[in-house]
Amino acid sequence: MGVAMDYRDGQPVLLGDRVDLGSGMTGTVVAVIDRGEFSSRYPADEWGYLSVGALIESPTGGVMHCIDALHDFELLERK
């Protein structure tokens, strides 16, 4: 596994975090691939091949694979 994803302020990206994806779009962290943490709806056996980053589920954008929290999204609130 790679280095765990962190937000700009150094906090770790966690399952269930609500995030701002930019352009008015928000989403929820459903997997933190770097740490091997996957929600039941997005299991490791289906998504672990991505190796790095996080999966974000957005009502308007679907499921997105983000490689770097520093550039891809910002924390809005913890679950």
Side-chain angles (χ1 to χ4, degrees):
M1 300 276 163
V3 175
M5 292 186 74
D6 291 330
Y7 295 105
R8 285 186 183 103
D9 65 3
Q11 293 185 74
V13 174
L14 302 176
L15 284 179
D17 284 355
R18 251 184 25 96
V19 296
D20 179 353
L21 297 161
S23 300
M25 204 164 47
T26 62
T28 302
V29 177
V30 295
V32 185
I33 300 162
D34 295 354
R35 285 198 304 267
E37 298 174 350
F38 296 82
S39 68
S40 59
R41 290 184 53 207
Y42 297 91
D45 61 346
E46 292 180 24
W47 295 93
Y49 73 92
L50 294 171
S51 302
V52 298
L55 293 178
I56 311 296
E57 183 179 51
S58 169
T60 55
V63 177
M64 294 166 272
H65 176 221
C66 297
I67 297 190
D68 183 358
L70 293 174
H71 299 102
D72 294 336
F73 54 90
E74 292 185 29
L75 178 64
L76 291 174
E77 69 179 344
R78 294 282 187 201
K79 179 178 176 180

